[in-house]
Amino acid sequence: NANGDNKNLAVGDTITVTGTIKNYNGTVEFDKPTLGEVLKGEGGETPDTPAVPDIPADSYITIAEALELCGEPGNITEGRYYIRGIIESVLNPQYGEMKIKDETGSIYVYGTYSADGSIGYANFESKPVKGDEVLLHCILQNHNGTKEVKNARLIEFTSSAGNFDESNYT
């Protein structure tokens, strides 16, 4: 977000951004960027609805494997991992803090961003909620004894709203 002036940017645009570059927990980003020249491109998908990459099924890890990779307190993984799970609860809708589960366990998600990391959960046009299935690409860490997903990039989600059975309610 360069001065909040990115409302008309689209995939395919060429932009000039100035500012100090920093590494924030494995993510290279601008600190207080300024948006310069914008050259409109051919268009494409918006950043929070990217094309789902062709990810081989064997490249996913289970939540049990994620918990193991979190390691000892202070550990942060160098690489990112794909994890698929069901949202048990959204703890903080501002940052996308949530708890997800699969058949092997559950894990805390510290924050959720668009697939490219440019948009935070609060600004998603369409947000995953409790009961939805999510595919995250993330860093894993053990923060003071809490094993968690960090800097989660939402690759895709499947809404559970289609599973709503009206006959269960009056």
Side-chain angles (χ1 to χ4, degrees):
N1 183 1
N3 299 331
D5 194 18
N6 63 353
K7 303 233 184 298
N8 295 319
L9 296 180
V11 173
D13 291 352
T14 301
I15 63 171
T16 303
V17 179
T18 57
T20 304
I21 295 177
K22 67 179 182 178
N23 184 324
Y24 180 73
N25 296 320
T27 301
V28 177
E29 60 185 37
F30 279 98
D31 185 23
K32 300 177 185 160
T34 301
L35 181 62
E37 183 179 15
V38 177
L39 300 173
K40 298 307 278 178
E42 297 290 323
E45 298 176 22
T46 59
D48 63 337
T49 56
V52 177
D54 187 19
I55 305 164
D58 63 354
S59 64
Y60 296 88
I61 61 171
T62 65
I63 290 176
E65 292 168 322
L67 291 168
E68 189 173 316
L69 287 166
C70 288
E72 298 298 318
N75 185 54
I76 299 175
T77 60
E78 289 185 28
R80 291 183 162 273
Y81 297 88
Y82 288 101
I83 300 175
R84 191 175 286 282
I86 304 293
I87 299 175
E88 288 185 287
S89 61
V90 176
L91 306 166
N92 184 330
Q94 178 68 28
Y95 301 109
E97 290 180 54
M98 58 183 72
K99 193 145 193 180
I100 63 169
K101 67 178 179 177
D102 68 8
E103 64 280 352
T104 67
S106 64
I107 193 167
Y108 172 72
V109 178
Y110 181 67
T112 308
Y113 302 88
S114 60
D116 67 359
S118 67
I119 300 172
Y121 184 88
N123 295 316
F124 286 2
E125 284 185 33
S126 180
K127 296 178 176 103
V129 296
K130 181 179 179 178
D132 291 351
E133 182 178 355
V134 293
L135 172 60
L136 304 176
H137 194 220
C138 54
I139 296 169
L140 303 166
Q141 73 174 1
N142 186 326
H143 181 71
N144 296 328
T146 300
K147 295 180 176 188
E148 62 189 21
V149 166
K150 176 181 183 171
N151 196 345
R153 307 285 175 87
L154 179 65
I155 304 302
E156 69 175 353
F157 76 93
T158 304
S159 174
S160 62
N163 300 330
F164 179 75
D165 185 354
E166 227 177 291
S167 66
N168 292 330
Y169 302 90
T170 57

